[in-house]
Amino acid sequence: RVLPAKPSDRFGLQVFVKREAAKMSAPYSNADLDKIISDMFELKKGGSASKEILPEAEVCRLCDMAKEILQREDNVKAVKTPVIVVGDVHGQFFDLLELFEIGGRPPLHNYLFLGDYVDRGYYSLDCVLLLVAIKVRFPDRMTLTRGNHECRQITQVYGFYDECLRVHGTANVWKHFTDLFDYLPLAAIVDDAVFCPHGGLSPSLDRIEHVQKLDRFVEIPHEGPICDLMWSDPDDRYGWGISPRGAGYTFGQDITETFNHENSLQFIVRAHQLIMEGFQWQHANGVLTLFSAPNYCYRCGNQAAIMQLDEMMNKSIIQFDPAPRHQHGQEGKPKLKQLPDYFL
């Protein structure tokens, strides 16, 4: 027969539960964050395909800390040089580690990531956990902006949702991150001279101050200026055009030149498109596309690239290849369902 707990025992249990709950809800210390970041940099094989990096409650705590930082940032985040600008990484965690080996690890170097941290690759959770942890630990050294894949609808189709479900057994971690994605800035501007959206321009936005006035704390709409910033692409044809992606627009050299002139910009840097060499200048060097996921989807055979900007705005583009295969933890690679293709 189980005897009822004494009042003193029940009181002790309540104190213990409250203490543990307070511990889990308290912000991470710098030492905690340093350990998370260090452990992930040392993660050379296996990845989130075979185990969770952080338990769900700690992911929630990390996302809450990130929200507090991001909600204070402008829609167009001001970034100072020197800085390294990075395009799509798409869940290719070991290539992200390779990128940091090439560019240098934070906080010794400043980074600006232009979105699309998740989907397509095998290790979206690892990528977004590492980047968010660095953002929380070094908020002035790491800038994260939003890409078209940082939303609920796309991540349910292209892998991130399924990965969260497979690793954690529930969709709660996916919900924590997609709620966090609503807080990401829509773009960045480097030294008031280089505009950095994920996708491109919008016919609704003539000036950068118009972007600043948008309500960004929402799911990415199917149309409108926020959608355009995430989905649009530069094109060889002049003017605005219908995008083959089914969202956003195409924009020609005349649109780029007008926008750059009206906003006193040197050029635009964006991501969003697979480029076989990792980078491409268009519109008489008015637009630079960066793509930072080498051998995209583990089959495209492309190089990746990042851009370094120094204090004098001198540009240096660094191309790189995939991380060595022995680092990819192939034995831990998950069996994934075939993902649908859309315009790369």
Coordinates of all heavy atoms in Angstrom, one line a residue, residues 38-102:
S38 N 30.5 25.7 -29.2 CA 31.7 24.9 -29.3 C 31.4 23.5 -29.6 O 32.0 22.9 -30.5 CB 32.5 25.0 -27.9 OG 33.6 24.1 -28.0
D39 N 30.4 22.9 -28.9 CA 30.0 21.5 -29.2 C 29.6 21.4 -30.6 O 29.9 20.3 -31.3 CB 28.9 21.1 -28.2 CG 29.4 20.9 -26.8 OD1 30.6 20.9 -26.6 OD2 28.5 20.8 -25.9
M40 N 28.8 22.3 -31.2 CA 28.4 22.2 -32.5 C 29.5 22.3 -33.6 O 29.5 21.7 -34.6 CB 27.2 23.2 -32.8 CG 26.0 22.9 -32.0 SD 24.5 23.8 -32.6 CE 24.2 22.8 -34.1
F41 N 30.5 23.2 -33.3 CA 31.6 23.3 -34.2 C 32.4 22.0 -34.2 O 33.1 21.7 -35.1 CB 32.5 24.5 -33.8 CG 32.1 25.8 -34.4 CD1 31.7 26.9 -33.7 CD2 32.2 25.9 -35.8 CE1 31.4 28.0 -34.3 CE2 31.9 27.1 -36.5 CZ 31.4 28.2 -35.7
E42 N 32.4 21.3 -33.1 CA 33.1 20.0 -33.0 C 32.3 18.8 -33.5 O 32.8 17.7 -33.6 CB 33.5 19.7 -31.5 CG 34.5 20.7 -31.0 CD 35.7 20.9 -31.8 OE1 36.3 19.9 -32.2 OE2 36.1 22.0 -32.1
L43 N 31.0 19.1 -33.9 CA 30.2 18.0 -34.4 C 30.6 17.7 -35.8 O 30.1 18.3 -36.8 CB 28.7 18.5 -34.3 CG 27.7 17.4 -34.7 CD1 27.6 16.3 -33.7 CD2 26.3 18.1 -34.7
K44 N 31.4 16.7 -36.0 CA 31.9 16.4 -37.3 C 31.2 15.3 -38.0 O 31.4 15.0 -39.2 CB 33.4 16.0 -37.2 CG 34.3 17.2 -36.8 CD 34.2 18.3 -37.8 CE 35.1 19.4 -37.4 NZ 35.0 20.6 -38.2
K45 N 30.4 14.5 -37.3 CA 29.6 13.5 -38.0 C 28.4 13.1 -37.2 O 28.3 13.4 -36.0 CB 30.5 12.2 -38.2 CG 31.1 11.6 -37.0 CD 31.9 10.4 -37.4 CE 32.7 9.8 -36.2 NZ 33.5 8.7 -36.6
G46 N 27.4 12.5 -37.9 CA 26.2 12.1 -37.2 C 25.1 13.2 -37.4 O 24.2 13.0 -38.2
G47 N 25.3 14.4 -36.8 CA 24.4 15.4 -37.0 C 23.0 15.1 -36.5 O 22.7 14.1 -35.8
S48 N 22.0 16.0 -36.7 CA 20.7 15.9 -36.2 C 19.9 14.8 -36.9 O 18.8 14.5 -36.5 CB 20.0 17.2 -36.3 OG 19.7 17.5 -37.7
A49 N 20.5 14.1 -37.9 CA 19.8 13.0 -38.5 C 19.6 11.9 -37.5 O 18.7 11.1 -37.6 CB 20.5 12.5 -39.7
S50 N 20.6 11.8 -36.5 CA 20.6 10.7 -35.6 C 20.3 11.0 -34.2 O 20.0 10.2 -33.3 CB 21.9 9.9 -35.7 OG 23.0 10.8 -35.4
K51 N 20.4 12.3 -33.8 CA 20.1 12.7 -32.4 C 19.7 14.2 -32.4 O 20.0 15.0 -33.3 CB 21.4 12.4 -31.6 CG 22.6 13.3 -32.0 CD 23.8 13.1 -31.1 CE 24.9 14.0 -31.5 NZ 26.1 13.8 -30.6
E52 N 19.1 14.5 -31.3 CA 18.8 15.9 -31.0 C 20.0 16.6 -30.4 O 20.7 16.1 -29.6 CB 17.6 16.1 -30.1 CG 17.7 15.5 -28.7 CD 16.5 15.7 -27.9 OE1 15.4 15.5 -28.4 OE2 16.6 15.9 -26.7
I53 N 20.2 17.9 -30.9 CA 21.3 18.6 -30.3 C 21.0 19.2 -29.0 O 21.8 19.2 -28.1 CB 21.7 19.7 -31.4 CG1 22.0 19.1 -32.7 CG2 22.9 20.5 -30.9 CD1 23.1 18.1 -32.7
L54 N 19.8 19.8 -28.9 CA 19.2 20.4 -27.7 C 17.8 19.8 -27.4 O 17.1 19.6 -28.4 CB 19.2 21.9 -27.8 CG 20.4 22.7 -27.7 CD1 20.1 24.2 -27.9 CD2 21.2 22.5 -26.4
P55 N 17.5 19.5 -26.2 CA 16.1 19.1 -25.9 C 15.1 20.3 -26.3 O 15.5 21.4 -26.3 CB 16.1 18.8 -24.4 CG 17.4 19.0 -23.9 CD 18.3 19.6 -25.0
E56 N 13.9 19.9 -26.4 CA 12.8 20.8 -26.9 C 12.8 22.1 -26.0 O 12.7 23.2 -26.4 CB 11.5 20.1 -26.9 CG 10.3 21.0 -27.3 CD 9.0 20.4 -27.2 OE1 8.9 19.1 -27.5 OE2 8.0 21.0 -26.8
A57 N 12.8 21.8 -24.7 CA 12.6 23.0 -23.7 C 13.8 24.0 -23.9 O 13.6 25.2 -23.8 CB 12.6 22.4 -22.3
E58 N 15.0 23.5 -24.2 CA 16.1 24.4 -24.3 C 16.1 25.1 -25.7 O 16.5 26.2 -25.8 CB 17.4 23.6 -24.2 CG 17.6 23.0 -22.7 CD 19.0 22.6 -22.4 OE1 19.9 23.1 -23.1 OE2 19.1 21.8 -21.5
V59 N 15.5 24.4 -26.7 CA 15.3 25.1 -28.0 C 14.4 26.3 -27.8 O 14.6 27.4 -28.3 CB 14.8 24.1 -29.0 CG1 14.4 24.9 -30.3 CG2 15.8 23.1 -29.4
C60 N 13.3 26.0 -27.1 CA 12.3 27.1 -26.8 C 13.0 28.2 -26.1 O 12.7 29.4 -26.4 CB 11.2 26.5 -25.9 SG 9.9 27.7 -25.5
R61 N 13.8 27.9 -25.1 CA 14.5 29.0 -24.3 C 15.4 29.8 -25.3 O 15.5 31.0 -25.2 CB 15.3 28.3 -23.2 CG 16.1 29.3 -22.3 CD 16.4 28.8 -20.9 NE 17.1 27.5 -21.0 CZ 18.1 27.2 -20.1 NH1 18.5 28.0 -19.2 NH2 18.6 26.0 -20.2
L62 N 16.2 29.1 -26.1 CA 17.1 29.8 -27.1 C 16.3 30.7 -28.0 O 16.6 31.9 -28.3 CB 17.9 28.8 -27.9 CG 18.9 29.3 -28.8 CD1 20.1 30.0 -28.0 CD2 19.5 28.2 -29.7
C63 N 15.1 30.2 -28.5 CA 14.3 31.0 -29.4 C 13.7 32.2 -28.8 O 13.6 33.3 -29.4 CB 13.2 30.1 -30.0 SG 13.7 28.9 -31.2
D64 N 13.3 32.1 -27.5 CA 12.8 33.2 -26.7 C 13.9 34.3 -26.6 O 13.6 35.5 -26.7 CB 12.3 32.8 -25.4 CG 11.0 32.0 -25.5 OD1 10.3 32.1 -26.5 OD2 10.6 31.3 -24.5
M65 N 15.1 33.9 -26.3 CA 16.2 34.9 -26.2 C 16.5 35.6 -27.5 O 16.7 36.8 -27.6 CB 17.5 34.2 -25.7 CG 17.4 33.7 -24.2 SD 18.9 32.8 -23.7 CE 20.0 34.2 -23.6
A66 N 16.4 34.8 -28.6 CA 16.6 35.4 -29.9 C 15.5 36.4 -30.3 O 15.8 37.4 -30.9 CB 16.7 34.3 -31.0
K67 N 14.3 36.1 -29.9 CA 13.2 37.0 -30.2 C 13.4 38.3 -29.5 O 13.1 39.4 -30.1 CB 11.8 36.4 -29.7 CG 11.3 35.2 -30.6 CD 10.0 34.7 -30.0 CE 9.5 33.5 -30.7 NZ 8.3 32.9 -30.1
E68 N 13.8 38.3 -28.3 CA 14.1 39.6 -27.6 C 15.1 40.4 -28.3 O 15.0 41.7 -28.3 CB 14.5 39.3 -26.1 CG 13.5 38.7 -25.3 CD 13.9 38.5 -23.8 OE1 15.0 39.1 -23.5 OE2 13.3 37.8 -23.1
I69 N 16.1 39.8 -28.9 CA 17.1 40.6 -29.6 C 16.6 41.1 -31.0 O 16.7 42.2 -31.3 CB 18.4 39.7 -29.9 CG1 19.0 39.3 -28.5 CG2 19.3 40.4 -30.8 CD1 20.1 38.3 -28.6
L70 N 15.9 40.2 -31.7 CA 15.5 40.5 -33.1 C 14.4 41.5 -33.1 O 14.3 42.3 -34.0 CB 15.0 39.2 -33.8 CG 16.1 38.2 -34.1 CD1 15.5 36.9 -34.6 CD2 17.1 38.7 -35.1
Q71 N 13.5 41.5 -32.1 CA 12.4 42.5 -32.1 C 12.8 43.9 -31.9 O 12.1 44.8 -32.3 CB 11.4 42.1 -31.0 CG 11.8 42.4 -29.6 CD 10.7 41.9 -28.6 OE1 9.6 41.5 -28.9 NE2 11.1 42.0 -27.3
R72 N 14.1 44.1 -31.5 CA 14.6 45.5 -31.3 C 15.3 45.9 -32.6 O 15.7 47.1 -32.7 CB 15.6 45.5 -30.2 CG 14.9 45.2 -28.8 CD 15.9 45.6 -27.7 NE 17.1 44.8 -27.6 CZ 17.2 43.7 -26.9 NH1 16.2 43.2 -26.2 NH2 18.3 43.0 -26.9
E73 N 15.5 45.0 -33.6 CA 16.2 45.4 -34.8 C 15.2 45.9 -35.8 O 14.0 45.6 -35.9 CB 16.9 44.1 -35.4 CG 18.0 43.6 -34.4 CD 18.8 42.5 -35.0 OE1 18.4 41.9 -36.0 OE2 19.9 42.2 -34.4
D74 N 15.7 46.8 -36.7 CA 14.8 47.4 -37.7 C 14.5 46.4 -38.8 O 15.2 45.4 -39.0 CB 15.6 48.6 -38.4 CG 15.7 49.8 -37.4 OD1 14.9 49.9 -36.5 OD2 16.7 50.5 -37.6
N75 N 13.5 46.7 -39.6 CA 13.2 45.9 -40.8 C 14.4 45.7 -41.7 O 14.6 44.7 -42.3 CB 12.0 46.5 -41.5 CG 10.7 46.3 -40.8 OD1 10.6 45.6 -39.8 ND2 9.6 46.9 -41.4
V76 N 15.1 46.8 -41.9 CA 16.3 46.8 -42.7 C 17.4 47.1 -41.6 O 17.7 48.2 -41.2 CB 16.3 47.9 -43.8 CG1 17.6 47.8 -44.6 CG2 15.1 47.7 -44.7
K77 N 18.1 46.0 -41.3 CA 19.2 46.1 -40.2 C 20.4 46.8 -40.8 O 21.0 46.4 -41.8 CB 19.5 44.7 -39.8 CG 20.6 44.5 -38.8 CD 20.2 45.0 -37.4 CE 21.2 44.4 -36.3 NZ 22.5 44.9 -36.5
A78 N 20.9 47.8 -40.0 CA 22.1 48.5 -40.4 C 23.3 47.7 -40.0 O 23.4 47.2 -38.8 CB 22.1 49.9 -39.7
V79 N 24.2 47.4 -40.9 CA 25.4 46.6 -40.6 C 26.6 47.4 -41.0 O 26.7 48.1 -42.0 CB 25.3 45.3 -41.5 CG1 26.6 44.5 -41.3 CG2 24.1 44.5 -41.1
K80 N 27.7 47.3 -40.2 CA 28.9 48.0 -40.4 C 30.0 47.1 -41.0 O 30.0 45.9 -40.6 CB 29.4 48.7 -39.1 CG 28.5 49.7 -38.5 CD 28.3 50.9 -39.4 CE 27.5 52.0 -38.8 NZ 27.3 53.1 -39.7
T81 N 30.8 47.6 -41.8 CA 32.0 46.9 -42.3 C 33.1 46.9 -41.2 O 33.1 47.8 -40.3 CB 32.5 47.5 -43.5 OG1 32.8 48.9 -43.3 CG2 31.6 47.4 -44.7
P82 N 34.0 45.9 -41.2 CA 34.1 44.8 -42.2 C 33.0 43.7 -41.9 O 32.6 43.5 -40.7 CB 35.5 44.3 -41.9 CG 35.7 44.6 -40.5 CD 35.1 45.9 -40.2
V83 N 32.6 43.1 -42.9 CA 31.6 42.0 -42.8 C 31.7 41.0 -43.9 O 32.2 41.3 -45.0 CB 30.2 42.6 -42.8 CG1 29.8 43.2 -44.1 CG2 29.1 41.6 -42.3
I84 N 31.3 39.8 -43.6 CA 31.3 38.7 -44.6 C 29.8 38.4 -44.9 O 29.0 38.1 -44.0 CB 32.0 37.4 -44.1 CG1 33.5 37.7 -43.8 CG2 31.9 36.3 -45.1 CD1 34.2 36.6 -43.1
V85 N 29.5 38.5 -46.2 CA 28.1 38.3 -46.6 C 27.9 36.9 -47.1 O 28.7 36.5 -47.9 CB 27.7 39.4 -47.6 CG1 26.2 39.3 -47.9 CG2 28.0 40.8 -47.2
V86 N 26.8 36.2 -46.7 CA 26.6 34.8 -47.0 C 25.2 34.7 -47.6 O 24.3 35.2 -47.1 CB 26.7 33.9 -45.8 CG1 26.6 32.5 -46.1 CG2 28.1 34.2 -45.1
G87 N 25.1 33.8 -48.7 CA 23.9 33.5 -49.3 C 23.2 32.3 -48.7 O 23.5 31.9 -47.5
D88 N 22.4 31.6 -49.5 CA 21.7 30.4 -49.0 C 22.6 29.3 -48.4 O 23.7 29.1 -49.1 CB 20.9 29.8 -50.1 CG 19.8 30.7 -50.7 OD1 20.0 31.9 -50.6 OD2 18.9 30.2 -51.3
V89 N 22.3 28.7 -47.3 CA 23.0 27.5 -46.8 C 22.2 26.3 -46.8 O 22.7 25.2 -46.9 CB 23.6 27.8 -45.4 CG1 24.7 28.9 -45.5 CG2 22.6 28.1 -44.4
H90 N 20.9 26.4 -46.7 CA 19.9 25.3 -46.9 C 20.2 24.0 -46.2 O 20.3 22.9 -46.9 CB 19.8 25.0 -48.4 CG 18.8 25.9 -49.1 ND1 17.4 26.0 -48.7 CD2 18.9 26.8 -50.1 CE1 16.8 26.9 -49.4 NE2 17.6 27.4 -50.3
G91 N 20.5 24.0 -44.9 CA 20.6 22.8 -44.2 C 21.8 22.0 -44.4 O 21.9 20.8 -44.0
Q92 N 22.8 22.5 -45.1 CA 24.0 21.8 -45.4 C 25.1 22.1 -44.3 O 26.0 22.9 -44.5 CB 24.5 22.1 -46.8 CG 23.5 21.7 -47.9 CD 24.0 21.9 -49.3 OE1 23.2 21.9 -50.2 NE2 25.3 22.0 -49.6
F93 N 24.9 21.5 -43.2 CA 25.6 21.9 -42.0 C 27.1 21.8 -42.1 O 27.8 22.6 -41.6 CB 25.1 21.0 -40.8 CG 25.8 21.3 -39.5 CD1 25.6 22.6 -38.9 CD2 26.6 20.4 -38.9 CE1 26.2 22.9 -37.7 CE2 27.2 20.7 -37.6 CZ 27.0 21.9 -37.0
F94 N 27.6 20.7 -42.7 CA 29.0 20.5 -42.7 C 29.7 21.5 -43.7 O 30.8 21.8 -43.6 CB 29.3 19.0 -43.1 CG 28.8 18.1 -42.0 CD1 27.6 17.5 -42.2 CD2 29.5 18.0 -40.8 CE1 27.1 16.7 -41.2 CE2 29.0 17.2 -39.8 CZ 27.7 16.5 -40.0
D95 N 28.9 21.9 -44.7 CA 29.4 23.0 -45.6 C 29.3 24.3 -44.9 O 30.2 25.2 -45.2 CB 28.5 23.0 -46.9 CG 28.7 21.7 -47.7 OD1 29.8 21.2 -47.8 OD2 27.7 21.3 -48.2
L96 N 28.4 24.5 -44.0 CA 28.4 25.7 -43.1 C 29.6 25.8 -42.2 O 30.3 26.8 -42.1 CB 27.1 25.8 -42.3 CG 27.0 26.9 -41.3 CD1 27.0 28.3 -42.0 CD2 25.7 26.8 -40.4
L97 N 30.0 24.6 -41.7 CA 31.2 24.6 -40.9 C 32.5 24.9 -41.7 O 33.4 25.6 -41.3 CB 31.4 23.2 -40.2 CG 30.4 22.7 -39.2 CD1 30.8 21.4 -38.6 CD2 30.2 23.8 -38.1
E98 N 32.4 24.4 -43.0 CA 33.5 24.7 -43.9 C 33.6 26.1 -44.2 O 34.7 26.8 -44.3 CB 33.3 23.8 -45.2 CG 34.4 24.0 -46.2 CD 35.6 23.1 -45.9 OE1 35.6 22.4 -44.8 OE2 36.6 23.1 -46.7
L99 N 32.4 26.8 -44.4 CA 32.3 28.2 -44.6 C 33.0 29.0 -43.5 O 33.8 29.9 -43.7 CB 30.8 28.6 -44.8 CG 30.4 30.0 -45.1 CD1 29.0 30.0 -45.7 CD2 30.5 31.0 -43.9
F100 N 32.7 28.6 -42.3 CA 33.3 29.3 -41.1 C 34.8 29.0 -41.0 O 35.6 29.9 -40.5 CB 32.6 28.9 -39.8 CG 31.3 29.5 -39.6 CD1 30.2 28.8 -39.3 CD2 31.2 30.9 -39.6 CE1 28.9 29.4 -39.1 CE2 30.0 31.6 -39.4 CZ 28.9 30.8 -39.1
E101 N 35.3 27.9 -41.5 CA 36.7 27.6 -41.5 C 37.4 28.5 -42.5 O 38.5 29.0 -42.3 CB 37.0 26.2 -41.9 CG 36.6 25.2 -40.8 CD 37.3 25.4 -39.5 OE1 38.6 25.6 -39.5 OE2 36.7 25.4 -38.4
I102 N 36.7 28.8 -43.6 CA 37.3 29.7 -44.7 C 37.2 31.1 -44.3 O 38.1 31.9 -44.5 CB 36.5 29.4 -46.0 CG1 36.8 28.0 -46.5 CG2 36.9 30.5 -47.1 CD1 35.8 27.5 -47.6

